[in-house]
Amino acid sequence: MMWNIDAANRAGAGGSMSVKPALERGELLGLPSDWSWICCSTLILVTFAFVLANGSEFAFPYLAWMKTYREMGLVAGYYSIPDVYPPGTFSALAVAAKLATTFSITDYEAFKILQICGFVLASFLAYAYSRDLVLTSVFQLSQFANSLVFSSVDIWFIPPLILSLWALKKHRLALSAAAFALTLAFKWQPVFIAPVLVLHLIQLAKRNHKKLYLAAAGIAVGLAVPVSIFGPAYILKLFAAGGGSATSYSAWTFNLGWIIGAIVDGGLHPVKIIFADPGSWQIRALQLVFAANLLLMLALQWRCKGSYESMMIAACGAFAGFVILYPGVHSNYWVTLSVLLFVLAAGDRSASKLLQYVAVMSCFNMLFIYTWPSGKTVTGLFISLAVSLLNLAVFLLATSHAFSRRTAPVLSEQG
């Protein structure tokens, strides 16, 4: 369970992993034999999405952006919005605006249709990757609250992220890099695993320097489209996004920042966001703890010298550290962690229990904050603190489990 480094070592030593369909799980080609079940589960969840949807008020900023697109166009409209989103999200909302105009439906209905299209595509890609109905169902659960019930745009970057990780497993580095650049064109979230991916490429390049050139070419292709349309200035929003995240201890996420923020804030009174002075020592301490965890994960990855499974373990550990340790994290960041754990669990079943936990927590965190009345009471705050302590304990247990295993320096990636 957890970050199981033993499975990575067995794969790296040249043997097969304990999960029989390890290679089949990495195949995207071919029609899934159980596609009908995936269709049924997707249809059921989509139906629930319409029944449980929280209404257009949760999509207010995105609906306003659709109006901005109509008034100012694509490029001028994007640079006029007071937010740090990359241009992919605004472009998708422009498509939704066109859809609403063409078919005479409301902006919210068009937004919801595009959101569901992203969920369906992500579901089929997840099954094509894993060839596992149960694992795909857990993946769908992890996305359900954030990407269907609530009006989030995170689901649009998940398909290219899955494609990028699949291509990396298959050593199609140009495709992987291009897909990752496309992922970042929708949301900045996955940038926190970029150090892990770069280290993996460096390890691969020790045996074949051409791999770095392929990755660089893929990044260039992936950036070419958004840069040609919006110019390179949008990349500066990445730095603005990093700076803005340190204005609160926690934003709707039950983590270490939530615990510290509630204590520092004084009265343990019910709040959703606990704001903080960006220069406070508590914020700096959280950032340093996150950085230390990232370095530990990179060190763990380095010891395995090129193993894809070890790279995924490090990516999961690094992003889990971001969710649990970094200040100002929003509750929708659970969904990115669930994607990484899904990819890890597709090759190592021991990670599936942790994926199940994160899937449940992803839904619980959002539903508790946004819908449960007691989430706004003192009782609700104490419940959230208890869950925060549980999340912190699970994270520490997973991390300690990874480092309790002696890792042999192996190289599973050949060629």
Side-chain angles (χ1 to χ4, degrees):
M1 185 190 171
M2 311 291 183
W3 320 135
N4 192 340
I5 204 68
D6 285 349
N9 283 339
R10 289 195 296 272
S16 60
M17 295 178 62
S18 59
V19 183
K20 181 179 178 181
L23 292 179
E24 290 88 353
R25 290 172 183 276
E27 285 292 339
L28 279 177
L29 301 177
L31 188 65
S33 59
D34 295 323
W35 64 270
S36 58
W37 291 103
I38 297 298
C39 287
C40 288
S41 64
T42 303
L43 179 62
I44 291 172
L45 290 175
V46 167
T47 302
F48 272 109
F50 278 107
V51 173
L52 300 176
N54 275 265
S56 59
E57 66 273 12
F58 284 90
F60 173 75
Y62 306 126
L63 300 184
W65 293 359
M66 292 168 68
K67 182 179 179 182
T68 299
Y69 162 73
R70 291 193 183 96
E71 295 174 348
M72 304 183 64
L74 186 63
V75 178
Y78 168 69
Y79 283 109
S80 72
I81 60 175
D83 213 311
V84 294
Y85 277 63
T89 297
F90 190 82
S91 300
L93 293 171
V95 173
K98 287 286 188 181
L99 188 67
T101 302
T102 302
F103 294 96
S104 300
I105 57 179
T106 67
D107 283 354
Y108 179 70
E109 290 170 340
F111 170 84
K112 205 68 184 174
I113 289 172
L114 213 59
Q115 189 185 46
I116 288 172
C117 287
F119 178 80
V120 172
L121 178 58
S123 297
F124 275 91
L125 278 176
Y127 180 75
Y129 187 99
S130 67
R131 301 296 177 88
D132 189 313
L133 286 172
V134 175
L135 203 60
T136 303
S137 298
V138 176
F139 168 80
Q140 289 180 315
L141 172 63
S142 71
Q143 308 301 315
F144 178 64
N146 181 72
S147 301
L148 285 182
V149 175
F150 296 101
S151 300
S152 170
V153 296
D154 296 309
I155 193 64
W156 294 336
F157 77 78
I158 291 175
L161 179 58
I162 294 176
L163 177 62
S164 175
L165 295 174
W166 169 81
L168 184 58
K169 183 183 179 75
K170 294 298 182 179
H171 284 205
R172 300 179 184 180
L173 300 186
L175 175 60
S176 176
F180 190 74
L182 179 61
T183 301
L184 296 181
F186 282 96
K187 288 292 281 289
W188 299 122
Q189 288 182 26
V191 77
F192 284 94
I193 66 169
V196 175
L197 300 180
V198 170
L199 177 57
H200 186 64
L201 290 175
I202 292 174
Q203 290 174 317
L204 295 181
K206 286 185 176 182
R207 296 180 60 89
N208 187 347
H209 291 292
K210 292 182 179 180
K211 294 181 181 296
L212 280 181
Y213 301 140
L214 290 172
I219 287 288
V221 171
L223 291 175
V225 175
V227 168
S228 64
I229 298 174
F230 295 92
Y234 83 87
I235 300 176
L236 297 176
K237 291 195 175 188
L238 170 61
F239 302 99
S245 63
T247 58
S248 64
Y249 295 104
S250 179
W252 297 287
T253 304
F254 301 150
N255 56 9
L256 180 60
W258 187 270
I259 298 170
I260 293 177
I263 296 174
V264 172
D265 201 46
L268 288 178
H269 55 275
V271 289
K272 287 185 177 180
I273 302 180
I274 307 177
F275 290 102
D277 177 5
S280 67
W281 70 266
Q282 293 95 343
I283 290 293
R284 298 303 183 198
L286 287 170
Q287 292 172 331
L288 288 174
V289 172
F290 160 76
N293 175 76
L294 177 59
L295 291 176
L296 285 174
M297 289 301 155
L298 291 174
L300 179 65
Q301 180 187 359
W302 182 258
R303 294 174 64 185
C304 294
K305 296 186 177 180
S307 164
Y308 177 84
E309 286 74 20
S310 298
M311 184 273 293
M312 285 307 307
I313 290 169
C316 290
F319 202 87
F322 173 65
V323 173
I324 301 299
L325 305 175
Y326 202 78
V329 175
H330 288 257
S331 54
N332 62 313
Y333 281 39
W334 284 106
V335 301
T336 306
L337 177 58
S338 67
V339 174
L340 298 174
L341 282 170
F342 165 78
V343 173
L344 176 61
D348 178 7
R349 281 286 187 90
S350 65
S352 61
K353 292 181 180 179
L354 195 56
L355 172 62
Q356 293 167 19
Y357 177 86
V358 169
V360 172
M361 189 52 57
S362 175
C363 293
F364 174 81
N365 200 152
M366 296 203 72
L367 292 173
F368 186 90
I369 285 291
Y370 287 109
T371 64
W372 200 18
S374 63
K376 301 177 182 180
T377 66
V378 173
T379 301
L381 182 61
F382 277 109
I383 293 175
S384 69
L385 287 173
V387 175
S388 298
L389 289 170
L390 176 62
N391 289 336
L392 179 62
V394 170
F395 168 75
L396 294 175
L397 179 62
T399 303
S400 63
H401 183 82
F403 280 90
S404 66
R405 301 289 184 174
R406 183 177 180 180
T407 307
V410 296
L411 179 65
S412 66
E413 309 293 350
Q414 302 296 327

